[in-house]
Amino acid sequence: MSAAQIGSPDVARRGSETWRRLLADRWAAIGAVVVVLLVLFAVLAPVLAGIEGQDAYTYHLDALADSGAPLGSGGGMSGRHWFGVEPRTGRDLFAIVAFGARTSLLIGVGATAVAVLLGVAVGVTAGYFGGWYDRLISRGVDVLFGFPSLIFMIAVGAIVPARFPRSSLILLVIGFFGWPPVARVVRGQTLVLRRRTFVVASEAMGAGSVHVLVRQLLPNLGATVIVYATMLVPGMIGAEAALSFLGVGVPPPTPSWGRTIGSAIDWVSTDVMFLLFPGLALFAATLSFNLLGDGLRDALDPRLRGLR
């Protein structure tokens, strides 16, 4: 048996068992369905909102003239404007929420990818090589945990010129401050795996460090990384929403749930629905990813099921 084969699991069998356990978890299945629906909602936003080729913030001034509309002082719910329109502007609230799903999911998933890539790279090397490098990384992670990341993100969003691609900046900044917890979890798992028989045997057979890291450690860290990444997405979505709510997130005309909630303050005294719809969308996204993450954790490691 070669060093590459040592410790290699039956991927198909384990995947089938994991999928079966995940589907057996009612709440995880609900979370997965909601996540899929949110993705479809974001992808099909132009079709669902009926504004293909237009801006989500297009003013529908004709809707302001609708009479007998119960939603605010603008146009009410109708076949054209499912959530109604904002008073005095005529902007379609459904279109803003639908296109805001794109922004929140793209930044949330993108920032999670940045955090996971950095965290895994730093954590697995620190746990495997140890020594001064491990001590340096551990102290750096401690510093970043104590760093006021939200204040820093607000400052960056405020000083960066508007011509800079703000969405990319927010994604990178949020992702950067998200990697320390990933690195800490991956480092801990690596410290355990490096003493396992298949790693020791690979090293005894002459496998180099790169081979051990890529072919032995990373595949066995996959389950942990997937679960943690799934549970990291809600925090990233919430961070983007918080920055946009404060006015330093993605700028107009890019829709954002956070900025929509902030704008709803002007209309909430007229009708609470302006706050309810984007708020429910944000709540559904964060809750569904958390439910899916919990289900994945139990499906990938059934021993944890009895601890909950």
Side-chain angles (χ1 to χ4, degrees):
M1 181 180 294
S2 66
Q5 293 173 313
I6 297 176
S8 298
D10 185 352
V11 178
R13 179 179 58 82
R14 291 181 60 185
S16 176
E17 293 178 357
T18 298
W19 181 248
R20 177 177 53 80
R21 286 193 294 264
L22 182 63
L23 292 179
D25 188 332
R26 179 180 60 184
W27 292 109
I30 292 174
V33 169
V34 175
V35 168
V36 172
L37 290 177
L38 283 172
V39 172
L40 292 175
F41 184 53
V43 172
L44 300 177
V47 178
L48 295 175
I51 56 171
E52 293 183 87
Q54 299 182 40
D55 191 335
Y57 283 134
T58 298
Y59 292 174
H60 301 274
L61 300 180
D62 57 320
L64 296 178
D66 291 347
S67 59
L71 187 63
S73 59
M77 300 179 186
S78 66
R80 291 185 55 199
H81 310 291
W82 293 359
F83 293 173
V85 297
E86 292 180 343
R88 298 194 299 275
T89 66
R91 298 188 301 190
D92 190 326
L93 186 59
F94 179 83
I96 295 174
V97 172
F99 279 86
R102 285 185 168 187
T103 303
S104 295
L105 291 177
L106 283 175
I107 292 182
V109 174
T112 299
V114 171
V116 168
L117 289 175
L118 289 175
V120 169
V122 172
V124 72
T125 53
Y128 180 70
F129 292 110
W132 66 267
Y133 176 69
D134 183 29
R135 292 191 294 272
L136 178 64
I137 292 298
S138 297
R139 299 295 78 78
V141 168
D142 291 339
V143 170
L144 285 175
F145 267 118
F147 196 81
S149 56
L150 181 60
I151 296 177
F152 181 81
M153 287 188 282
I154 292 173
V156 170
I159 64 176
V160 172
R163 64 178 179 274
F164 192 87
R166 187 69 63 87
S167 297
S168 301
L169 173 69
I170 296 300
L171 186 154
L172 292 174
V173 172
I174 295 176
F176 175 77
F177 283 103
W179 73 263
V182 179
R184 178 167 288 183
V185 171
V186 170
R187 173 186 174 273
Q189 291 293 314
T190 303
L191 290 174
V192 175
L193 290 173
R194 65 180 294 191
R195 296 178 175 85
R196 297 285 293 273
T197 303
F198 63 89
V199 175
V200 175
S202 294
E203 293 174 333
M205 295 174 64
S209 299
V210 174
H211 175 90
V212 174
L213 288 170
V214 176
R215 300 297 297 274
Q216 303 297 329
L217 293 177
L218 287 180
N220 285 279
L221 290 168
T224 300
V225 172
I226 290 172
V227 171
Y228 203 87
T230 304
M231 302 185 74
L232 200 62
V233 173
M236 300 298 186
I237 293 176
E240 182 278 323
L243 292 175
S244 296
F245 177 84
L246 295 172
V248 292
V250 292
T254 304
S256 167
W257 287 340
R259 191 171 62 253
T260 305
I261 293 173
S263 300
I265 296 175
D266 297 332
W267 321 117
V268 70
S269 59
T270 305
D271 197 312
V272 73
M273 292 298 182
F274 293 112
L275 180 63
L276 182 63
F277 288 127
L280 283 177
L282 181 59
F283 172 75
T286 55
L287 179 62
S288 59
F289 274 104
N290 276 316
L291 292 175
L292 179 59
D294 277 343
L296 280 174
R297 181 187 61 185
D298 290 344
L300 291 168
D301 191 354
R303 294 172 299 177
L304 297 176
R305 188 181 299 274
L307 300 178
R308 294 177 58 187

